[in-house]
Amino acid sequence: MSSTADEALAHAVTAALMFLPGDRQATPQEVERAASMAMSVVSLKGMTVDRVRLTKTLQAKTSIYQEESSALHNAEGHIPWLADAKNDRTWAFWERYERYLKTVGDMPPQVVRGIDRSTEEILGELEDPRRPGSWQRTGLVIGQVQSGKTGQYIGLATKAADAGYRLIVVFAGIHNDLRSQTQLRIDEGLLGFDTQYQLRSDQEGANWKIGVGAMSHVDQLPVASLTNSAEKGDFDRRTAAKANLPIASFPVVLVVKKHRRIIDYLRTWVTEVHGEEDPATGRKIVRDIPLFVIDDEADNASINTSDPDNEPSKINEAIRLLVRSFAKASYVGYTATPFANIYVDPDADHDTLGGDLFPDSFIRTLRAPSNYLGPERLFGLRVDNEEEDDIEPLPLIRHVDDTSAWIPEKHKSGHTPAGDLPLSLQRAIHSFVLTCAARRARGQVHKHNSMLVHVTRFTTVQGRVRDQVDDFVRFLTDSLRDRYGSASATRLAELREVWEKDFVSTTDYFPADEAERLTWDEVVEEILPAIQKFRVKAVNGAAKDVLDYYDNRHKGLSVIAIGGEKLSRGLTLEGLSVSYYLRFSKTYDTLLQMGRWFGYRPGYEDLCRLYTTRALESAYAEITAATDELRRDVEEMAVLGLTPREFGLKVRTSSLGLAITAANKMRQGTRVRLSYSGELAETTIFNLSDGVAQKNLDTLHTFTKRLTELSAPVVDEASGSLVWQGVPPETVAGAFFDAYQTAKEAHRVRPQFIAGYIRQCAKYGELSNWTVRVVGRKPVTGSVDIAGHSVGLVTRAASGRTSESRYTIKRVLSPRDESTDLDEAQYDRAIAATKKAAEGKLRRDGRPRNPTTPTGTPLRVQRRPDQPLLLIYPIEPPVSDSPDSSVALIGFAVSFPFSKHQSKTEYVVNEVWWKQGSDIDDFDGEDEGESDE
């Protein structure tokens, strides 16, 4: 498509959106009418538009939806204010940004409305900047990697400026390039001018308008910045001194790297200029200027990693000192990996610094729009409730198993990659060539294209990989230019094979309205123009290459970026389509942050590829399940009205030996790790060796014999299940959990911990009246004799991580079983609470959720403290060569009520759940040897 056609389509889309409803999704008929009216409008300007392309574009925009956010609140000391402030203040910064998102940013209307709604909710959690006296609010916003958090918090910053916050500080990572990238986004979305050339909007003789400031018919709003978007544009005391800005009269915005000295410079400058001495402490306090801090990547560098009995780590101390230097301050952390933040000690009380950066005021989760290519869609997700289907992974992952000789997993900083590029990397580069060519054939000629190569943390090795990749790209380009020899035909044949065997079938997986089908003839015409734009860059602290997307915004940049840490957190690779990723880390948060391939891929999602190892794919699948569970927990706790201090964080542990976060970030977290209060503990991993299956079957026989000595079981005629009621806690703990054996990989469910928890609760009169149900099924295909009754075996399909010695399933629980012991009143309350928790939530197809059976926390909160349920599942054994292949597997699920003595029944399990810090790949600390910096 020509640039003229691009421009005409953009005008038509903008016009059409004005004719569509602003408060809901448009119907197909409304889209058709809007397209007709828009074509009439642009025709008056002498432009013509392809109606089919316009309609498809509008349909794509209007079909996108976004679920509402959920939050835990603490209203203590907070005075609601926003409802009145909506009428007594102008919201010019926000309105300008909202218009920018819709017109220039080309953002779907529902997504803009979602940003408006969520930023308003967060702003309302903060304090009114006009409120007199001293106050402080601290909160945490949990988004997803590459899901648009920056655009969301810029929206929040615009509203904070409108509301009256006069000093807005954005902490943007620990590297200059991320700080610079964030500053540019702030320039475009909030300030409206290029900070490399002017400091304030009304600067005499300056006219460097960009972003919101460059739109037609917009007001110039009074605002200033003391930082700029240059690589070295961080806060500088000399700049501040020269500026002599009157902060109190209009907003001043700073984008600052998380560096102790820079933060200290900032605090010293602002307190010297605007502070007054506090008689009680002798420190200078800024009393009349409300401070708003946005801490991007709040789990990185901001966390106190020091021993809690000693002084805090330096960056954590600097941030806390800055916030404490203002009588009126609000702090909001943003992260996609919140594990470390919620492990912050809520009771810390330093003599000088006061409390830590615990999100005491609120924790809010943001749902990504439906067009987000996130971990769930890439790696798949097994879900727990009956309403939702499992999310099957998109067919975009390609396995790599040929790199051990080229770059071993363990290598030194001076390693020289052996031999040529591995065939998998050559194929990945071929894929990138085809992706860029296909995007051009689809009309995306001037869009950015990026490929990520992340195979080592060492800068010297990255440089050598960069040279190898560059040589291969030059060889490929020269061959394709060879019109007279055979080289061009050979390379095109190789590319055609990849196209026909990989790309055609993958695109066919996507609906026709999401992925345009292309012929080879259409693609081949664009291959040489595409590859001739390629640049190969090493992006790290030692290389001088930069990802200059902004400078190439009109023609598009096509880059293969080779890097490590600098490409692993916060930095956005524009138009990222192909990733070649081998870098393993042992922590959830680091691995998730290194996944730069998440985000939005309009019109080329089917062309994206992730080349990685099977081990890394398994690790990401586990992390996806753990983070989804954490997000759901926050949503359920929000329905129950809990505060952040009342939210006992649980994060699913890994069967692959991964840690959740670096050990030094969770010194305070282990004390809440193993309370089973209100939890569902269930087995999903079974040991198929060492006779464990037979031992557990024998344990079940012994246990049910003990139960029968207490009372005969009630037989559920519908299913053949056996039910015992009124079982004492010691019988359950001693006769079942003390004897049951789990697979060693099943870190999450340890029977000895469960037995200990039962005994601790029993001391307080809790968990005293157990219901035990051995779950059967009819019709019977296989059975096992239990307590003189034939019980039909249940079936559970294997998950993708099953091996000869290990059988892994999605889950053992059938959700309906968890409510079988509730009385009628409990059941009614549980289903009502489950439905309430689902209000405003959508299925993945955009339809409202409508649960028909009680599940999860809304169910377990209805249990009396003395009313636990143990479900035991005899499972049909898998077909295998194991000696135990004919022995039924015994799984269990325990539905625990909430404990009134939770704090007295917790475990400290660092040595069990966490590896030593020395083998944690922690990006926040110093790498051994040479790294990116």
Side-chain angles (χ1 to χ4, degrees):
M1 186 191 297
S2 68
S3 57
T4 303
D6 277 339
E7 184 182 355
L9 178 64
H11 278 291
V13 169
T14 301
L17 292 175
M18 297 174 64
F19 300 118
L20 291 172
D23 57 347
R24 58 175 174 82
Q25 285 184 262
T27 65
Q29 295 77 15
E30 289 171 331
V31 170
E32 289 289 347
R33 282 199 299 271
S36 297
M37 297 170 76
M39 292 184 70
S40 298
V41 170
V42 297
S43 67
L44 297 175
K45 298 181 179 181
M47 297 180 177
T48 58
V49 178
D50 183 329
R51 185 189 178 91
V52 173
R53 190 176 289 273
L54 171 60
T55 303
K56 285 183 67 173
T57 302
L58 291 175
Q59 287 171 339
K61 279 181 172 295
T62 56
S63 66
I64 295 166
Y65 59 88
Q66 185 169 16
E67 293 186 53
E68 294 183 5
S69 60
S70 299
L72 308 178
H73 308 269
N74 179 8
E76 183 179 354
H78 175 58
I79 299 176
W81 60 281
L82 188 53
D84 292 332
K86 282 175 151 184
N87 296 318
D88 65 22
R89 292 166 218 193
T90 58
W91 298 89
F93 281 104
W94 161 252
E95 289 168 0
R96 190 172 70 166
Y97 181 58
E98 181 183 36
R99 179 183 160 195
Y100 175 77
L101 293 178
K102 289 179 178 178
T103 57
V104 181
D106 201 27
M107 191 171 282
Q110 290 278 58
V111 177
V112 178
R113 284 194 288 276
I115 292 175
D116 185 15
R117 183 173 57 244
S118 60
T119 51
E120 182 176 307
E121 290 166 343
I122 296 168
L123 185 68
E125 301 270 17
L126 308 182
E127 219 55 56
D128 183 355
R130 296 183 182 179
R131 176 182 166 182
S134 299
W135 42 260
Q136 183 171 313
R137 297 285 285 174
T138 55
L140 179 68
V141 178
I142 303 170
Q144 297 191 56
V145 177
Q146 298 285 91
S147 65
K149 295 188 302 298
T150 304
Q152 207 272 352
Y153 71 63
I154 291 175
L156 178 60
T158 64
K159 291 184 176 180
D162 285 323
Y165 282 94
R166 284 297 169 255
L167 182 60
I168 299 174
V169 178
V170 179
F171 289 122
I174 58 176
H175 297 302
N176 285 330
D177 48 5
L178 177 55
R179 192 214 66 81
S180 173
Q181 185 183 77
T182 305
Q183 176 81 60
L184 181 58
R185 295 283 303 277
I186 294 284
D187 289 1
E188 292 177 322
L190 172 56
L191 300 172
F193 56 84
D194 190 335
T195 49
Q196 291 194 41
Y197 303 99
Q198 64 185 94
L199 290 176
R200 45 195 292 177
S201 54
D202 60 353
Q203 188 168 321
E204 189 174 344
N207 189 27
W208 295 90
K209 296 178 180 179
I210 62 173
V212 292
M215 294 188 299
S216 59
H217 309 297
V218 294
D219 295 330
Q220 178 179 277
L221 303 176
V223 64
S225 179
L226 294 177
T227 53
N228 67 68
S229 59
E231 185 80 2
K232 296 183 179 180
D234 212 334
F235 182 77
D236 186 318
R237 296 173 70 183
R238 290 169 296 181
T239 302
K242 291 178 183 176
N244 192 26
L245 290 173
I247 290 181
S249 61
F250 53 78
V252 174
V253 183
L254 300 95
V255 182
V256 177
K257 184 166 73 265
K258 293 185 199 178
H259 189 287
R260 175 179 60 87
R261 285 194 295 272
I262 292 173
I263 301 171
D264 284 344
Y265 288 157
L266 168 59
R267 174 179 52 82
T268 301
W269 168 74
V270 75
T271 53
E272 283 179 352
V273 176
H274 297 277
E276 56 185 70
E277 188 171 304
D278 183 352
T281 63
R283 295 188 300 113
K284 283 194 171 183
I285 300 293
V286 180
R287 298 201 178 278
D288 297 324
I289 299 173
L291 169 71
F292 180 39
V293 173
I294 294 173
D295 188 352
D296 193 13
E297 306 294 343
D299 63 307
N300 186 29
S302 304
I303 300 297
N304 179 19
T305 56
S306 296
D307 189 296
D309 295 329
N310 298 319
E311 290 300 302
S313 50
K314 296 302 182 184
I315 294 177
N316 174 267
E317 178 183 22
I319 294 174
R320 289 162 69 182
L321 273 174
L322 174 67
V323 174
R324 292 272 292 179
S325 295
F326 286 75
K328 307 173 182 182
S330 289
Y331 167 96
V332 178
Y334 275 77
T335 183
T337 47
F339 313 115
N341 301 86
I342 311 178
Y343 284 130
V344 171
D345 183 3
D347 300 315
D349 189 15
H350 191 274
D351 291 342
T352 304
L353 304 174
D356 204 344
L357 300 175
F358 179 79
D360 196 60
S361 304
F362 66 92
I363 299 173
R364 181 170 290 275
T365 62
L366 298 178
R367 286 283 188 166
S370 57
N371 61 333
Y372 171 63
L373 179 59
E376 297 88 353
R377 297 182 65 213
L378 197 55
F379 298 102
L381 179 66
R382 306 301 178 191
V383 295
D384 291 350
N385 67 74
E386 290 188 327
E387 271 204 306
E388 297 283 346
D389 296 327
D390 294 342
I391 302 176
E392 296 302 326
L394 294 173
L396 304 179
I397 297 174
R398 305 293 179 264
H399 293 130
V400 174
D401 57 9
D402 60 351
T403 59
S404 58
W406 180 58
I407 296 183
E409 184 178 344
K410 302 290 185 182
H411 58 275
K412 301 293 185 181
S413 60
H415 174 76
T416 299
D420 296 331
L421 290 184
L423 291 177
S424 59
L425 181 49
Q426 294 181 33
R427 188 179 180 93
I429 294 170
H430 283 157
S431 296
F432 186 55
V433 173
L434 291 168
T435 295
C436 295
R439 291 192 70 190
R440 292 176 65 91
R442 287 178 178 175
Q444 302 172 19
V445 177
H446 301 303
K447 301 294 186 181
H448 296 308
N449 293 284
S450 297
M451 175 178 176
L452 164 68
V453 179
H454 188 158
V455 296
T456 177
R457 63 175 172 158
F458 298 116
T459 57
T460 299
V461 185
Q462 290 166 18
R464 291 167 181 162
V465 171
R466 184 254 173 222
D467 292 342
Q468 279 193 303
V469 171
D470 188 60
D471 287 344
F472 182 79
V473 169
R474 290 179 184 277
F475 162 74
L476 194 55
T477 306
D478 290 344
S479 298
L480 291 168
R481 285 184 182 137
D482 181 11
R483 298 184 179 182
Y484 305 106
S486 61
S488 178
T490 302
R491 299 289 85 78
L492 287 174
E494 292 170 351
L495 290 165
R496 182 168 188 169
E497 181 182 17
V498 176
W499 176 261
E500 293 179 344
K501 289 186 176 180
D502 186 336
F503 279 75
V504 172
S505 58
T506 302
T507 297
D508 284 344
Y509 180 89
F510 289 75
D513 59 345
E514 294 181 11
E516 181 182 348
R517 274 56 173 165
L518 296 170
T519 66
W520 171 248
D521 289 339
E522 291 173 303
V523 173
V524 73
E525 289 296 319
E526 301 293 346
I527 285 177
L528 188 57
I531 198 172
Q532 289 183 144
K533 289 185 66 175
F534 282 16
R535 303 183 198 175
V536 181
K537 298 190 175 191
V539 182
N540 55 51
K544 294 182 179 179
D545 289 341
V546 294
L547 298 175
D548 46 352
Y549 294 114
Y550 184 76
D551 292 341
N552 292 276
R553 61 192 180 278
H554 299 302
K555 293 294 184 181
L557 177 68
S558 292
V559 62
I560 300 178
I562 291 92
E565 182 183 354
K566 278 204 170 186
L567 296 180
S568 71
R569 188 181 266 275
L571 195 67
T572 298
L573 295 171
E574 301 287 352
L576 178 64
S577 54
V578 179
S579 299
Y580 189 86
Y581 177 72
L582 305 180
R583 177 77 181 282
F584 207 99
S585 172
K586 294 185 176 68
T587 63
Y588 286 11
D589 45 9
T590 300
L591 272 173
L592 263 184
Q593 290 290 349
M594 289 196 292
R596 295 290 94 195
W597 44 80
F598 307 126
Y600 303 94
R601 307 289 183 261
Y604 65 103
E605 196 173 75
D606 61 308
L607 305 176
C608 295
R609 297 291 183 271
L610 169 58
Y611 287 79
T612 192
T613 64
R614 294 180 187 274
L616 275 162
E617 183 184 18
S618 294
Y620 274 105
E622 282 203 339
I623 296 167
T624 300
T627 51
D628 180 75
E629 186 175 271
L630 173 62
R631 224 171 255 112
R632 288 174 184 267
D633 280 350
V634 174
E635 291 170 357
E636 289 184 345
M637 297 298 179
V639 172
L640 297 175
L642 299 185
T643 70
R645 283 177 176 264
E646 294 169 328
F647 176 53
L649 174 71
K650 69 174 176 56
V651 181
R652 179 184 299 190
T653 54
S654 165
S655 67
L656 303 175
L658 300 171
I660 290 171
T661 188
N664 61 359
K665 287 185 180 179
M666 54 166 305
R667 299 180 189 276
Q668 302 299 318
T670 51
R671 65 189 179 90
V672 298
R673 214 17 238 120
L674 264 185
S675 173
Y676 288 99
S677 173
E679 297 300 321
L680 180 81
E682 62 178 319
T683 47
T684 57
I685 305 174
F686 299 89
N687 189 349
L688 300 182
S689 59
D690 303 323
V692 169
Q694 185 62 54
K695 291 173 186 175
N696 285 337
L697 181 57
D698 293 343
T699 293
L700 177 58
H701 286 310
T702 303
F703 178 48
T704 52
K705 183 179 178 182
R706 285 280 302 277
L707 295 178
T708 304
E709 291 170 356
L710 297 173
S711 65
V714 174
V715 180
D716 182 338
E717 295 299 335
S719 64
S721 301
L722 308 178
V723 183
W724 288 265
Q725 293 181 317
V727 180
E730 184 52 42
T731 301
V732 175
F736 186 73
F737 287 111
D738 279 348
Y740 186 95
Q741 296 183 27
T742 57
K744 63 181 177 61
E745 300 92 347
H747 298 290
R748 191 181 176 213
V749 177
R750 294 293 179 89
Q752 64 268 36
F753 291 152
I754 294 175
Y757 178 78
I758 292 170
R759 292 180 174 117
Q760 286 285 349
C761 287
K763 293 177 182 179
Y764 299 94
E766 297 183 332
L767 306 185
S768 57
N769 187 14
W770 283 78
T771 296
V772 177
R773 184 182 187 94
V774 178
V775 181
R777 73 186 286 262
K778 290 183 178 180
V780 176
T781 54
S783 63
V784 62
D785 183 75
I786 303 293
H789 298 268
S790 180
V791 177
L793 300 178
V794 302
T795 57
R796 294 292 183 267
S799 80
R801 293 177 289 283
T802 288
S803 66
E804 290 183 2
S805 61
R806 181 179 69 184
Y807 189 66
T808 305
I809 61 178
K810 166 193 161 185
R811 64 179 321 196
V812 73
L813 177 78
S814 292
R816 291 183 183 277
D817 295 339
E818 194 180 1
S819 59
T820 52
D821 67 320
L822 301 182
D823 61 37
E824 186 175 349
Q826 285 177 313
Y827 186 93
D828 290 343
R829 290 195 299 269
I831 187 63
T834 303
K835 287 181 177 292
K836 181 175 176 57
E839 287 178 4
K841 302 295 187 295
L842 303 175
R843 297 170 181 262
R844 281 181 294 281
D845 59 6
R847 292 185 294 126
R849 288 181 56 189
N850 182 30
T852 57
T853 189
T855 58
T857 300
L859 183 156
R860 291 187 284 279
V861 79
Q862 301 303 326
R863 292 191 175 280
R864 299 185 304 274
D866 68 339
Q867 189 189 9
L869 171 67
L870 170 60
L871 298 162
I872 299 176
Y873 291 86
I875 302 170
E876 195 170 290
V879 177
S880 74
D881 297 329
S882 167
D884 294 342
S885 59
S886 62
V887 179
L889 303 179
I890 304 302
F892 67 80
V894 192
S895 182
F896 283 105
F898 280 85
S899 168
K900 296 184 182 300
H901 301 275
Q902 180 179 357
S903 62
K904 298 179 181 178
T905 53
E906 294 169 348
Y907 287 86
V908 179
V909 292
N910 285 35
E911 67 277 11
V912 177
W913 291 71
W914 307 106
K915 293 193 170 188
Q916 294 298 317
S918 59
D919 73 344
I920 298 294
D921 192 358
D922 178 16
F923 276 86
D924 296 342
E926 294 289 333
D927 274 335
E928 180 182 345
E930 182 191 16
S931 71
D932 284 5
E933 287 303 293

